[in-house]
Amino acid sequence: MPRYALRIEYHGAPFSGWQRQDGPATVQGALEAALARLDPGPHAVAAAGRTDAGVHALGQVAQAEMRKRWDPFRLAEALNFHLKPAPVAVTACAEVPEDWHARFSARERRYMFRILARRAPPVLSAGLVWRVPGPLDAAAMQAGADRLVGLHDFTTFRSTMCQAKSPVKSLDLLRIEPLETPEGQEIRVHARARSFLHNQVRSLVGTLERVGSGAWSPDDVTAALEARDRAACGPVSPPQGLCFMEVRYDSDPFENGWRG
Amino acid sequence: MPRYALRIEYHGAPFSGWQRQDGPATVQGALEAALARLDPGPHAVAAAGRTDAGVHALGQVAQAEMRKRWDPFRLAEALNFHLKPAPVAVTACAEVPEDWHARFSARERRYMFRILARRAPPVLSAGLVWRVPGPLDAAAMQAGADRLVGLHDFTTFRSTMCQAKSPVKSLDLLRIEPLETPEGQEIRVHARARSFLHNQVRSLVGTLERVGSGAWSPDDVTAALEARDRAACGPVSPPQGLCFMEVRYDSDPFENGWRG
C-alpha cells in the first residue's frame, strides 16, 4: 500500500498526548479518525515523537498507509478538512518508500521550550509559555546547559516511567536564546538529539531555570548529572512551553511532495 | 485624586472591543470592575486607543484614578489578581501628574498586523493571525505601502462609522516585514501615526494583501487613495491579526513606575 509522510502541527492543550488511548482525546486518535473518513477501516499511524500531554508540535512527522494512491496536496487538504475543529493541521505530505519509517528512519529531533520571565500572567502567549517570575540570567543558563551537552548517562533527567533501554544518550545541542519581546524577557531553550528520553527536555529546562534564577550554580548541574539519580533533578517544567519543532532524516521526505 | 497610567495587554477574542457597553463584555468594563474591587464606586478609565472587537493589545495605555495612593507594583498585582480569568493583564503601572492624559497626551500609536500565508489552517497562532492562502509578494506590498505613507485624505481607508472630524491624517510608517517561520510565510505590517481613523489599519492591510497576492498593483493603491471613496478600498482584513503594540508620549510615563 502507498505510504505517506505527514508533517503535523498541533496544540497540546486538548490532548492527552500523542499516543492513542481508550477514551481520552489524543493526536494520534484524531489523525487516525480523519484517515478513516478517507479510507475506511483501521489505521495505525506511527510518529517520530510520542509527545506528552499538553506538549505542542510544529514539526511532528507521522506516516500513514492508504489503500489507494493519493495526490499529496489533496490528501493533506482532505485530512485538514476532516481534522477540523481539532487544533491539528497537516502542513506537508509526500509519498515515501515502503522501507521509510517516520520513527525508525529519524536521525535527529529538535525541540524548543519557551519561558516567559515576568510578573504578570501571560495573555497572548498563554498556553504556549512557562511563565516564571524572573528575571533569568541567560548566560548562567548557557553555562549550565554546556555541562549537559554530549554523551552522558541522563538517569537524573528522565522520568521514572521512561521505557528506553538505556539512559545513555548524546545531547547534541542545548542552546539558550534570550529575547526581549513586547511581552517581556523570553528565554528559548533549543535542544537537539538523535532521540530523547521520557521527560528529558522538561527535566533539563526545569533544572536550567533554577540556574537562571540563581538558585543553582552550573556546578550544581554537573553534580545532578553525575548523581545519575532522578531525585537530583530540578523541578520538571510544565508541558505547555514545549514544542516539537522538527525531525531530520537522511534526506528530506517532503522534498518532492507538497509543502504548505 | 492620584492618577495612574496602566500599560495593558489583552486578547481581543472574548471582548466586544475596548469601550464599555451595556451587556457585552469589553476590556474597559473588565478593567473598571477590577478597579472597583480595590476602590469601590464607579470608575471611568480612559485609554489611548479604543480598539475594535477582536483586536488584541500588547501596549494599550489607560489611566485610572484612585481615592488613595497606591504603590504602583501593588496596584498592578492587585488588578491582575482581580482581572483573572479574563485574558487581560497590567504589565506596567506608574503614578502620573493630574494633567497627564492617556489619550490626549499621546504623541504616537503603533500597531502590528500579522498575516500567515499558507494553505493549512493556523494552529499555534490561531486567533492571532489572518490566514490567507498566499504566497504574498512582500516587495510589492512594500511598494503599495509606500504610496500610503505621509499626509493624506484617508477617506477610502476609514469606516463609514468613523467619528473623526477630518479624514486627513499623517501616516508616519507602514513597513512590510516578511518572515520565514516554522509555521510558514508570515508578513508583519507595522503602522505608526499620531492617531488612526476607525478601521484604518485593517483597511490598509486588506488592500495591501490584494497587492501581495497580485490582484492589485501599487498604482491601484494610489488610485484607491486618490478616489477618497470608501467603496474604492480593498476588503477590510479581519480583526484577529491586529495588535495595538505601543503608545508614545513626550516622556515615558512608566519610567519611574513599575514595569513587569
Side-chain angles (χ1 to χ4, degrees):
Chain A
M1 296 203 293
R3 176 174 288 197
Y4 296 89
L6 305 167
R7 190 175 66 203
I8 300 165
E9 289 182 5
Y10 45 88
H11 194 294
F15 297 111
S16 297
W18 166 266
Q19 198 157 13
R20 191 188 333 115
Q21 297 181 34
D22 286 336
T26 65
V27 184
Q28 183 182 7
L31 186 61
E32 289 174 354
L35 285 161
R37 299 290 295 272
L38 306 180
D39 189 348
H43 286 266
V45 302
R50 287 164 295 177
T51 52
D52 276 340
V55 173
H56 314 295
L58 283 173
Q60 172 73 283
V61 178
Q63 63 178 59
E65 292 184 336
M66 305 296 282
R67 241 167 300 218
K68 72 178 186 79
R69 181 154 278 116
W70 282 74
D71 172 74
F73 170 68
R74 288 186 186 282
L75 179 56
E77 293 267 295
L79 286 171
N80 284 335
F81 177 81
H82 289 296
L83 282 163
K84 273 189 252 178
V88 182
V90 176
T91 61
C93 179
E95 190 174 339
V96 288
E98 282 189 29
D99 63 351
W100 183 92
H101 194 281
R103 182 175 170 202
F104 300 117
S105 302
R107 292 283 172 264
E108 184 183 78
R109 284 137 174 112
R110 299 182 177 191
Y111 282 89
M112 195 252 284
F113 195 105
R114 294 176 62 187
I115 305 173
L116 181 64
R118 71 177 203 182
R119 288 290 310 183
V123 173
L124 293 194
S125 61
L128 299 172
V129 298
W130 179 25
R131 205 276 311 172
V132 303
L136 296 177
D137 179 340
M141 292 176 76
Q142 186 63 65
D146 291 345
R147 309 296 182 94
L148 298 162
V149 173
L151 186 74
H152 298 290
D153 178 332
F154 283 102
T155 296
T156 300
F157 300 99
R158 73 164 172 170
S159 160
T160 54
M161 314 282 283
C162 183
Q163 291 171 4
K165 282 179 194 147
S166 166
V168 176
K169 291 279 176 189
S170 178
L171 180 61
D172 298 322
L173 179 133
L174 193 59
R175 185 167 68 86
I176 306 300
E177 181 187 14
L179 296 167
E180 288 301 325
T181 79
E183 292 180 276
Q185 187 194 24
E186 182 174 326
I187 300 282
R188 294 188 177 179
V189 183
H190 302 270
R192 295 182 189 172
R194 185 180 178 101
S195 61
F196 288 92
L197 298 160
H198 188 197
N199 273 357
Q200 187 181 356
V201 180
R202 289 166 56 194
S203 299
L204 296 171
V205 168
T207 298
L208 293 177
E209 190 277 336
R210 294 288 73 205
V211 178
S213 72
W216 285 37
S217 71
D219 283 346
D220 293 332
V221 176
T222 299
L225 177 67
E226 290 177 351
R228 290 171 205 165
D229 175 358
R230 181 60 172 159
C233 186
V236 176
S237 61
Q240 79 275 0
L242 185 58
C243 188
F244 187 23
M245 298 298 288
E246 195 177 346
V247 189
R248 292 288 183 110
Y249 298 88
D250 282 338
S251 65
D252 178 0
F254 302 107
E255 194 172 2
N256 298 311
W258 171 77
R259 285 182 285 198
Chain B
M1 296 205 294
R3 177 174 287 196
Y4 295 90
L6 303 167
R7 189 175 66 203
I8 300 165
E9 289 182 4
Y10 46 87
H11 193 295
F15 297 111
S16 296
W18 166 265
Q19 198 157 13
R20 192 191 327 120
Q21 297 180 35
D22 287 336
T26 66
V27 184
Q28 183 183 6
L31 186 61
E32 289 174 355
L35 285 161
R37 299 290 296 271
L38 307 179
D39 189 347
H43 286 266
V45 302
R50 287 164 297 176
T51 52
D52 276 341
V55 173
H56 314 295
L58 284 172
Q60 172 72 284
V61 178
Q63 63 179 62
E65 292 183 335
M66 305 296 282
R67 242 167 298 219
K68 71 177 187 77
R69 181 153 279 116
W70 282 75
D71 172 74
F73 170 69
R74 288 187 186 280
L75 178 55
E77 292 267 295
L79 285 171
N80 284 335
F81 178 81
H82 289 296
L83 282 163
K84 273 188 250 178
V88 182
V90 175
T91 60
C93 179
E95 191 173 339
V96 287
E98 281 189 29
D99 64 351
W100 183 92
H101 195 281
R103 183 175 171 203
F104 300 117
S105 302
R107 292 283 172 264
E108 184 182 79
R109 284 140 174 108
R110 299 183 177 189
Y111 282 88
M112 195 252 284
F113 195 105
R114 294 177 61 187
I115 305 173
L116 181 64
R118 71 177 204 183
R119 288 291 309 183
V123 173
L124 293 194
S125 60
L128 298 173
V129 298
W130 179 26
R131 206 277 310 173
V132 303
L136 296 177
D137 179 340
M141 292 176 76
Q142 185 64 64
D146 292 345
R147 309 296 182 94
L148 297 162
V149 173
L151 186 75
H152 299 290
D153 179 333
F154 283 103
T155 296
T156 300
F157 300 99
R158 72 163 170 169
S159 161
T160 55
M161 313 282 283
C162 182
Q163 291 173 2
K165 282 180 195 147
S166 166
V168 176
K169 291 279 177 190
S170 178
L171 180 61
D172 298 322
L173 180 133
L174 193 59
R175 183 167 69 86
I176 307 298
E177 181 188 13
L179 297 168
E180 287 301 325
T181 78
E183 292 179 276
Q185 188 195 21
E186 181 174 327
I187 301 281
R188 295 188 176 179
V189 183
H190 302 270
R192 296 181 189 171
R194 183 179 180 102
S195 62
F196 288 91
L197 297 160
H198 189 197
N199 272 358
Q200 187 180 356
V201 179
R202 288 167 55 194
S203 299
L204 297 170
V205 168
T207 298
L208 293 176
E209 190 278 335
R210 294 288 72 205
V211 178
S213 72
W216 285 38
S217 71
D219 283 347
D220 293 332
V221 176
T222 299
L225 177 67
E226 290 177 350
R228 290 171 205 164
D229 176 358
R230 181 59 172 160
C233 185
V236 176
S237 61
Q240 79 276 1
L242 185 57
C243 188
F244 187 23
M245 298 298 286
E246 194 177 347
V247 189
R248 292 288 183 111
Y249 297 88
D250 282 338
S251 65
D252 179 359
F254 302 107
E255 194 173 1
N256 298 310
W258 171 77
R259 285 182 284 196

